[in-house]
Amino acid sequence: MKKNIAIFASGNGTNAEQLVLHFAHHPKARVALILTNRSTAFVLERAKRLEVPACCFSKEQWAEGTEVVEVLRRYGIDFVVLAGFLARVPDCVLHGYPQRMVNIHPSLLPKFGGKGMYGDRVHQAVLDAGEKESGITIHYTNEQYDEGAIICQHRCPVLPDDTFETLATRVHQLEYAHYPEVVDRLVSALE
Ligand code: GAR
């Protein structure tokens, strides 16, 4: 039986799309469900186009968690991937997926992580700090933002004439190159 992956995403969803495409013809796993906390998130358009079931839960539903757990159970979800998900994961969801939930962060954690640090804000902070390199961190998820055990990091240069947009583009390329591969390795190793 194929393993079922759920993706949690709040925004554009380019990483979610890369993950769906990666697993489209995979022998062992599929992306079975996309969940979001924003009804206007573009990831919902992508889900429709890619023909992946998607659902949106309200702030209250995410805070409480029961209905999220219920839909994960209904779809038989084995592994959860956060891809630009900006709400807090409810504890009851976290506890249901020990070592089976990962996040990607667009910096070299522990630098430029924590609450409020997401997307372009991270890249602007990297530029403001005069960093010479940035990159991505893929890590297990725990109760604290961006603090779970690190699985891997990949680096890229910060160039003198970078804007947050050019840096974001470079970091996104790293994400697309590594996130599906890492998720594949972890999901393929599940019992
Ligand atoms: C990605 O760069 C991801 O690393 C980041 O949000 C972006 C989502 O892009 N996540 C965080 O900042 C989490 N703290 P996408 O919606 O195009 O995949």
Side-chain angles (χ1 to χ4, degrees):
M1 269 248 292
K2 283 196 186 186
K3 298 293 180 194
N4 290 316
I5 300 167
I7 300 175
F8 292 7
S10 300
N12 189 353
T14 62
N15 277 286
E17 178 155 352
Q18 293 295 317
L19 287 155
V20 171
L21 295 176
H22 178 92
F23 285 99
H25 304 288
H26 196 282
K28 289 187 171 174
R30 67 167 77 84
V31 175
L33 184 64
I34 293 177
L35 284 82
T36 187
N37 60 322
R38 283 184 50 222
S39 60
T40 55
F42 192 70
V43 71
L44 290 172
E45 297 298 320
R46 293 183 194 271
K48 205 179 296 170
R49 178 160 45 77
L50 294 162
E51 300 182 351
V52 176
C55 46
C56 178
F57 288 109
S58 68
K59 200 173 168 193
E60 293 71 30
Q61 287 171 310
W62 278 106
E64 208 269 323
T66 316
E67 286 160 273
V68 179
V69 169
E70 171 53 27
V71 77
L72 294 175
R73 203 191 51 74
R74 186 151 23 98
Y75 278 84
I77 299 301
D78 302 291
F79 197 90
V80 175
V81 179
L82 310 189
F85 186 64
L86 305 181
R88 232 188 92 84
V89 177
D91 285 348
C92 53
V93 177
L94 268 176
H95 297 152
Y97 292 89
Q99 301 290 95
R100 286 175 176 232
M101 185 181 305
V102 295
N103 181 40
I104 191 163
H105 186 79
S107 77
L108 298 170
L109 290 174
K111 284 184 166 183
F112 308 104
K115 195 166 168 28
M117 275 298 201
Y118 55 85
D120 292 340
R121 290 194 195 186
V122 177
H123 305 306
Q124 190 58 57
V126 168
L127 294 177
D128 291 346
E131 296 287 318
K132 296 283 179 283
E133 65 173 8
S134 189
I136 61 168
T137 304
I138 298 171
H139 63 93
Y140 288 107
T141 307
N142 69 8
E143 284 82 358
Q144 308 304 321
Y145 282 95
D146 304 328
E147 282 190 16
I150 290 176
I151 299 163
C152 63
Q153 295 187 305
H154 295 279
R155 291 159 196 278
C156 63
V158 176
L159 302 178
D161 57 352
D162 264 338
T163 62
F164 72 85
E165 285 108 333
T166 57
L167 181 55
T169 302
R170 196 171 308 121
V171 170
H172 262 124
Q173 292 309 317
L174 275 185
E175 297 188 323
Y176 307 153
H178 295 287
Y179 207 19
E181 293 269 321
V182 171
V183 172
D184 190 328
R185 180 163 54 76
L186 297 174
V187 172
S188 298
L190 292 177
E191 291 297 306

